[in-house]
mmCIF file of all heavy atoms in Angstrom:
data_model
loop_
_atom_site.group_PDB
_atom_site.id
_atom_site.type_symbol
_atom_site.label_atom_id
_atom_site.label_comp_id
_atom_site.label_asym_id
_atom_site.label_seq_id
_atom_site.Cartn_x
_atom_site.Cartn_y
_atom_site.Cartn_z
ATOM 1 N N ASN Y 193 23.891 3.643 5.345
ATOM 2 C CA ASN Y 193 23.069 4.852 5.042
ATOM 3 C C ASN Y 193 21.972 4.445 4.023
ATOM 4 O O ASN Y 193 20.851 4.843 4.147
ATOM 5 C CB ASN Y 193 23.956 5.949 4.570
ATOM 6 C CG ASN Y 193 24.855 6.625 5.639
ATOM 7 O OD1 ASN Y 193 24.481 6.454 6.822
ATOM 8 N ND2 ASN Y 193 25.883 7.202 5.200
ATOM 9 N N GLY Y 194 22.426 3.801 2.919
ATOM 10 C CA GLY Y 194 21.508 3.492 1.877
ATOM 11 C C GLY Y 194 20.440 2.511 2.320
ATOM 12 O O GLY Y 194 19.259 2.698 1.967
ATOM 13 N N GLU Y 195 20.836 1.491 3.014
ATOM 14 C CA GLU Y 195 19.873 0.491 3.468
ATOM 15 C C GLU Y 195 18.922 1.015 4.513
ATOM 16 O O GLU Y 195 17.709 0.658 4.513
ATOM 17 C CB GLU Y 195 20.579 -0.772 3.982
ATOM 18 C CG GLU Y 195 19.690 -1.935 4.110
ATOM 19 C CD GLU Y 195 20.356 -3.173 4.672
ATOM 20 O OE1 GLU Y 195 21.582 -3.349 4.452
ATOM 21 O OE2 GLU Y 195 19.630 -4.003 5.350
ATOM 22 N N PHE Y 196 19.434 1.906 5.363
ATOM 23 C CA PHE Y 196 18.594 2.505 6.363
ATOM 24 C C PHE Y 196 17.491 3.383 5.655
ATOM 25 O O PHE Y 196 16.284 3.298 5.990
ATOM 26 C CB PHE Y 196 19.392 3.396 7.299
ATOM 27 C CG PHE Y 196 18.633 3.989 8.430
ATOM 28 C CD1 PHE Y 196 18.317 3.300 9.564
ATOM 29 C CD2 PHE Y 196 18.191 5.333 8.311
ATOM 30 C CE1 PHE Y 196 17.589 3.895 10.609
ATOM 31 C CE2 PHE Y 196 17.418 5.901 9.312
ATOM 32 C CZ PHE Y 196 17.146 5.193 10.483
ATOM 33 N N ALA Y 197 17.905 4.170 4.695
ATOM 34 C CA ALA Y 197 16.961 5.019 3.957
ATOM 35 C C ALA Y 197 15.950 4.168 3.254
ATOM 36 O O ALA Y 197 14.721 4.475 3.263
ATOM 37 C CB ALA Y 197 17.690 5.892 2.954
ATOM 38 N N ARG Y 198 16.376 3.076 2.642
ATOM 39 C CA ARG Y 198 15.451 2.221 1.954
ATOM 40 C C ARG Y 198 14.417 1.642 2.893
ATOM 41 O O ARG Y 198 13.188 1.551 2.592
ATOM 42 C CB ARG Y 198 16.232 1.076 1.284
ATOM 43 C CG ARG Y 198 15.336 -0.036 0.764
ATOM 44 C CD ARG Y 198 16.142 -1.126 0.053
ATOM 45 N NE ARG Y 198 15.353 -2.315 -0.171
ATOM 46 C CZ ARG Y 198 15.743 -3.319 -0.967
ATOM 47 N NH1 ARG Y 198 16.876 -3.259 -1.530
ATOM 48 N NH2 ARG Y 198 14.935 -4.390 -1.106
ATOM 49 N N THR Y 199 14.848 1.225 4.083
ATOM 50 C CA THR Y 199 13.938 0.645 5.060
ATOM 51 C C THR Y 199 12.807 1.667 5.469
ATOM 52 O O THR Y 199 11.643 1.304 5.533
ATOM 53 C CB THR Y 199 14.725 0.209 6.316
ATOM 54 O OG1 THR Y 199 15.737 -0.794 5.909
ATOM 55 C CG2 THR Y 199 13.802 -0.458 7.373
ATOM 56 N N CYS Y 200 13.230 2.908 5.758
ATOM 57 C CA CYS Y 200 12.300 3.895 6.147
ATOM 58 C C CYS Y 200 11.321 4.272 4.943
ATOM 59 O O CYS Y 200 10.147 4.440 5.107
ATOM 60 C CB CYS Y 200 12.989 5.165 6.653
ATOM 61 S SG CYS Y 200 13.876 4.891 8.188
ATOM 62 N N ASN Y 201 11.973 4.302 3.761
ATOM 63 C CA ASN Y 201 11.148 4.675 2.594
ATOM 64 C C ASN Y 201 10.121 3.609 2.255
ATOM 65 O O ASN Y 201 9.005 3.925 1.870
ATOM 66 C CB ASN Y 201 12.093 4.870 1.357
ATOM 67 C CG ASN Y 201 12.888 6.152 1.490
ATOM 68 O OD1 ASN Y 201 12.546 7.023 2.290
ATOM 69 N ND2 ASN Y 201 13.980 6.187 0.728
ATOM 70 N N GLN Y 202 10.462 2.289 2.461
ATOM 71 C CA GLN Y 202 9.467 1.320 2.149
ATOM 72 C C GLN Y 202 8.356 1.301 3.175
ATOM 73 O O GLN Y 202 7.176 0.943 2.807
ATOM 74 C CB GLN Y 202 10.126 -0.087 1.919
ATOM 75 C CG GLN Y 202 10.706 -0.728 3.118
ATOM 76 C CD GLN Y 202 11.471 -1.993 2.671
ATOM 77 O OE1 GLN Y 202 11.694 -2.280 1.485
ATOM 78 N NE2 GLN Y 202 11.959 -2.753 3.629
ATOM 79 N N LEU Y 203 8.677 1.594 4.415
ATOM 80 C CA LEU Y 203 7.609 1.697 5.429
ATOM 81 C C LEU Y 203 6.628 2.833 4.999
ATOM 82 O O LEU Y 203 5.408 2.637 5.079
ATOM 83 C CB LEU Y 203 8.225 2.018 6.779
ATOM 84 C CG LEU Y 203 8.816 0.861 7.508
ATOM 85 C CD1 LEU Y 203 9.781 1.394 8.608
ATOM 86 C CD2 LEU Y 203 7.838 -0.059 8.101
ATOM 87 N N ARG Y 204 7.178 3.907 4.590
ATOM 88 C CA ARG Y 204 6.284 5.036 4.118
ATOM 89 C C ARG Y 204 5.549 4.707 2.864
ATOM 90 O O ARG Y 204 4.451 5.194 2.595
ATOM 91 C CB ARG Y 204 7.160 6.286 4.007
ATOM 92 C CG ARG Y 204 7.654 6.866 5.342
ATOM 93 C CD ARG Y 204 8.237 8.185 5.273
ATOM 94 N NE ARG Y 204 8.436 8.809 6.542
ATOM 95 C CZ ARG Y 204 9.663 8.863 7.158
ATOM 96 N NH1 ARG Y 204 10.695 8.383 6.539
ATOM 97 N NH2 ARG Y 204 9.783 9.399 8.379
ATOM 98 N N ALA Y 205 6.183 3.894 1.985
ATOM 99 C CA ALA Y 205 5.531 3.512 0.734
ATOM 100 C C ALA Y 205 4.275 2.679 1.043
ATOM 101 O O ALA Y 205 3.268 2.828 0.431
ATOM 102 C CB ALA Y 205 6.474 2.747 -0.181
ATOM 103 N N PHE Y 206 4.436 1.712 1.973
ATOM 104 C CA PHE Y 206 3.213 0.938 2.361
ATOM 105 C C PHE Y 206 2.213 1.807 3.025
ATOM 106 O O PHE Y 206 0.997 1.538 2.900
ATOM 107 C CB PHE Y 206 3.690 -0.208 3.256
ATOM 108 C CG PHE Y 206 4.203 -1.436 2.476
ATOM 109 C CD1 PHE Y 206 5.542 -1.710 2.523
ATOM 110 C CD2 PHE Y 206 3.427 -2.187 1.661
ATOM 111 C CE1 PHE Y 206 6.087 -2.775 1.843
ATOM 112 C CE2 PHE Y 206 3.939 -3.266 0.946
ATOM 113 C CZ PHE Y 206 5.274 -3.577 1.050
ATOM 114 N N ALA Y 207 2.643 2.785 3.797
ATOM 115 C CA ALA Y 207 1.686 3.741 4.369
ATOM 116 C C ALA Y 207 0.894 4.469 3.299
ATOM 117 O O ALA Y 207 -0.330 4.609 3.408
ATOM 118 C CB ALA Y 207 2.422 4.710 5.312
ATOM 119 N N GLU Y 208 1.584 4.978 2.292
ATOM 120 C CA GLU Y 208 0.830 5.624 1.177
ATOM 121 C C GLU Y 208 -0.088 4.677 0.475
ATOM 122 O O GLU Y 208 -1.183 5.064 0.090
ATOM 123 C CB GLU Y 208 1.864 6.218 0.220
ATOM 124 C CG GLU Y 208 2.668 7.370 0.723
ATOM 125 C CD GLU Y 208 1.769 8.485 1.207
ATOM 126 O OE1 GLU Y 208 0.889 8.927 0.446
ATOM 127 O OE2 GLU Y 208 1.978 9.043 2.317
ATOM 128 N N MET Y 209 0.286 3.451 0.321
ATOM 129 C CA MET Y 209 -0.560 2.411 -0.307
ATOM 130 C C MET Y 209 -1.862 2.247 0.492
ATOM 131 O O MET Y 209 -2.916 2.191 -0.032
ATOM 132 C CB MET Y 209 0.114 1.112 -0.404
ATOM 133 C CG MET Y 209 -0.682 -0.052 -1.000
ATOM 134 S SD MET Y 209 -0.021 -1.678 -0.576
ATOM 135 C CE MET Y 209 -0.514 -1.862 1.128
ATOM 136 N N LEU Y 210 -1.730 2.269 1.847
ATOM 137 C CA LEU Y 210 -2.832 2.116 2.672
ATOM 138 C C LEU Y 210 -3.727 3.296 2.660
ATOM 139 O O LEU Y 210 -5.001 3.197 2.619
ATOM 140 C CB LEU Y 210 -2.406 1.888 4.133
ATOM 141 C CG LEU Y 210 -1.761 0.573 4.497
ATOM 142 C CD1 LEU Y 210 -1.134 0.539 5.874
ATOM 143 C CD2 LEU Y 210 -2.763 -0.635 4.379
ATOM 144 N N LYS Y 211 -3.169 4.512 2.595
ATOM 145 C CA LYS Y 211 -3.973 5.738 2.533
ATOM 146 C C LYS Y 211 -4.757 5.814 1.233
ATOM 147 O O LYS Y 211 -5.859 6.336 1.156
ATOM 148 C CB LYS Y 211 -3.123 6.945 2.780
ATOM 149 C CG LYS Y 211 -2.668 7.067 4.183
ATOM 150 C CD LYS Y 211 -1.942 8.401 4.469
ATOM 151 C CE LYS Y 211 -0.476 8.337 4.102
ATOM 152 N NZ LYS Y 211 0.274 9.560 4.516
ATOM 153 N N GLU Y 212 -4.187 5.311 0.132
ATOM 154 C CA GLU Y 212 -4.925 5.267 -1.138
ATOM 155 C C GLU Y 212 -6.026 4.285 -1.079
ATOM 156 O O GLU Y 212 -7.157 4.526 -1.546
ATOM 157 C CB GLU Y 212 -3.913 5.047 -2.284
ATOM 158 C CG GLU Y 212 -4.486 5.237 -3.674
ATOM 159 C CD GLU Y 212 -5.290 4.035 -4.157
ATOM 160 O OE1 GLU Y 212 -5.056 2.869 -3.770
ATOM 161 O OE2 GLU Y 212 -6.312 4.275 -4.929
ATOM 162 N N GLY Y 213 -5.738 3.013 -0.621
ATOM 163 C CA GLY Y 213 -6.798 2.138 -0.243
ATOM 164 C C GLY Y 213 -7.201 1.066 -1.229
ATOM 165 O O GLY Y 213 -7.873 0.074 -0.869
ATOM 166 N N SER Y 214 -6.842 1.189 -2.526
ATOM 167 C CA SER Y 214 -7.352 0.234 -3.498
ATOM 168 C C SER Y 214 -6.688 -1.101 -3.464
ATOM 169 O O SER Y 214 -7.084 -2.047 -4.121
ATOM 170 C CB SER Y 214 -7.197 0.873 -4.940
ATOM 171 O OG SER Y 214 -7.916 2.022 -5.028
ATOM 172 N N TRP Y 215 -5.675 -1.258 -2.590
ATOM 173 C CA TRP Y 215 -4.897 -2.514 -2.466
ATOM 174 C C TRP Y 215 -5.828 -3.667 -2.085
ATOM 175 O O TRP Y 215 -5.498 -4.862 -2.356
ATOM 176 C CB TRP Y 215 -3.773 -2.379 -1.494
ATOM 177 C CG TRP Y 215 -4.264 -2.364 -0.088
ATOM 178 C CD1 TRP Y 215 -4.696 -1.250 0.613
ATOM 179 C CD2 TRP Y 215 -4.326 -3.442 0.864
ATOM 180 N NE1 TRP Y 215 -5.062 -1.562 1.895
ATOM 181 C CE2 TRP Y 215 -4.867 -2.940 2.056
ATOM 182 C CE3 TRP Y 215 -4.062 -4.768 0.778
ATOM 183 C CZ2 TRP Y 215 -5.115 -3.715 3.163
ATOM 184 C CZ3 TRP Y 215 -4.343 -5.587 1.890
ATOM 185 C CH2 TRP Y 215 -4.833 -5.070 3.034
ATOM 186 N N VAL Y 216 -6.966 -3.444 -1.473
ATOM 187 C CA VAL Y 216 -7.871 -4.517 -0.984
ATOM 188 C C VAL Y 216 -8.566 -5.227 -2.105
ATOM 189 O O VAL Y 216 -9.212 -6.213 -1.942
ATOM 190 C CB VAL Y 216 -8.896 -3.962 -0.011
ATOM 191 C CG1 VAL Y 216 -8.235 -3.437 1.267
ATOM 192 C CG2 VAL Y 216 -9.839 -2.948 -0.612
ATOM 193 N N GLU Y 217 -8.462 -4.706 -3.345
ATOM 194 C CA GLU Y 217 -9.013 -5.334 -4.548
ATOM 195 C C GLU Y 217 -10.499 -5.559 -4.419
ATOM 196 O O GLU Y 217 -11.028 -6.735 -4.586
ATOM 197 C CB GLU Y 217 -8.287 -6.634 -4.860
ATOM 198 C CG GLU Y 217 -6.838 -6.444 -5.130
ATOM 199 C CD GLU Y 217 -6.087 -7.780 -5.448
ATOM 200 O OE1 GLU Y 217 -6.683 -8.817 -5.217
ATOM 201 O OE2 GLU Y 217 -4.921 -7.708 -5.902
ATOM 202 N N ALA Y 218 -11.230 -4.534 -4.151
ATOM 203 C CA ALA Y 218 -12.684 -4.655 -3.932
ATOM 204 C C ALA Y 218 -13.366 -4.949 -5.290
ATOM 205 O O ALA Y 218 -13.134 -4.318 -6.289
ATOM 206 C CB ALA Y 218 -13.258 -3.373 -3.394
ATOM 207 N N ILE Y 219 -14.241 -5.988 -5.259
ATOM 208 C CA ILE Y 219 -14.997 -6.393 -6.462
ATOM 209 C C ILE Y 219 -16.463 -6.543 -6.057
ATOM 210 O O ILE Y 219 -16.795 -7.205 -5.046
ATOM 211 C CB ILE Y 219 -14.469 -7.763 -7.020
ATOM 212 C CG1 ILE Y 219 -12.987 -7.662 -7.325
ATOM 213 C CG2 ILE Y 219 -15.266 -8.156 -8.260
ATOM 214 C CD1 ILE Y 219 -12.328 -8.973 -7.746
ATOM 215 N N ILE Y 220 -17.297 -5.958 -6.825
ATOM 216 C CA ILE Y 220 -18.759 -6.080 -6.607
ATOM 217 C C ILE Y 220 -19.443 -6.628 -7.842
ATOM 218 O O ILE Y 220 -19.250 -6.076 -8.953
ATOM 219 C CB ILE Y 220 -19.350 -4.702 -6.207
ATOM 220 C CG1 ILE Y 220 -18.698 -4.125 -4.975
ATOM 221 C CG2 ILE Y 220 -20.882 -4.776 -6.107
ATOM 222 C CD1 ILE Y 220 -19.137 -2.749 -4.659
ATOM 223 N N SER Y 221 -20.182 -7.672 -7.695
ATOM 224 C CA SER Y 221 -20.938 -8.259 -8.748
ATOM 225 C C SER Y 221 -22.429 -8.364 -8.343
ATOM 226 O O SER Y 221 -22.748 -9.187 -7.497
ATOM 227 C CB SER Y 221 -20.409 -9.689 -9.108
ATOM 228 O OG SER Y 221 -19.067 -9.622 -9.555
ATOM 229 N N ASN Y 222 -23.278 -7.536 -8.898
ATOM 230 C CA ASN Y 222 -24.681 -7.533 -8.534
ATOM 231 C C ASN Y 222 -25.624 -7.241 -9.708
ATOM 232 O O ASN Y 222 -26.456 -6.360 -9.703
ATOM 233 C CB ASN Y 222 -24.929 -6.593 -7.429
ATOM 234 C CG ASN Y 222 -24.649 -5.099 -7.791
ATOM 235 O OD1 ASN Y 222 -24.056 -4.846 -8.843
ATOM 236 N ND2 ASN Y 222 -25.076 -4.185 -6.900
ATOM 237 N N PRO Y 223 -25.416 -7.971 -10.795
ATOM 238 C CA PRO Y 223 -26.316 -7.743 -12.014
ATOM 239 C C PRO Y 223 -27.761 -8.092 -11.585
ATOM 240 O O PRO Y 223 -27.958 -8.927 -10.716
ATOM 241 C CB PRO Y 223 -25.777 -8.692 -13.038
ATOM 242 C CG PRO Y 223 -25.068 -9.708 -12.285
ATOM 243 C CD PRO Y 223 -24.436 -9.059 -11.107
ATOM 244 N N GLU Y 224 -28.709 -7.502 -12.257
ATOM 245 C CA GLU Y 224 -30.119 -7.653 -11.919
ATOM 246 C C GLU Y 224 -30.495 -9.139 -11.987
ATOM 247 O O GLU Y 224 -30.130 -9.859 -12.960
ATOM 248 C CB GLU Y 224 -31.008 -6.863 -12.859
ATOM 249 C CG GLU Y 224 -32.464 -6.839 -12.507
ATOM 250 C CD GLU Y 224 -33.293 -5.934 -13.333
ATOM 251 O OE1 GLU Y 224 -32.672 -5.165 -14.086
ATOM 252 O OE2 GLU Y 224 -34.492 -5.937 -13.230
#
């Protein structure tokens, strides 16, 4: 029961990470 719940929860945790979006570590450098 515990491991099954953990498996589903971590799938959903990665889904939330994707929906937030900052995981791609976007960096912009364009000084004049």
Side-chain angles (χ1 to χ4, degrees):
N193 291 337
E195 193 181 332
F196 183 83
R198 169 179 167 169
T199 302
C200 295
N201 289 342
Q202 68 188 6
L203 284 161
R204 291 190 168 102
F206 280 109
E208 290 302 313
M209 178 198 77
L210 289 171
K211 286 188 278 189
E212 190 281 328
S214 299
W215 73 275
V216 297
E217 298 179 349
I219 304 173
I220 299 175
S221 298
N222 62 350
E224 188 175 350

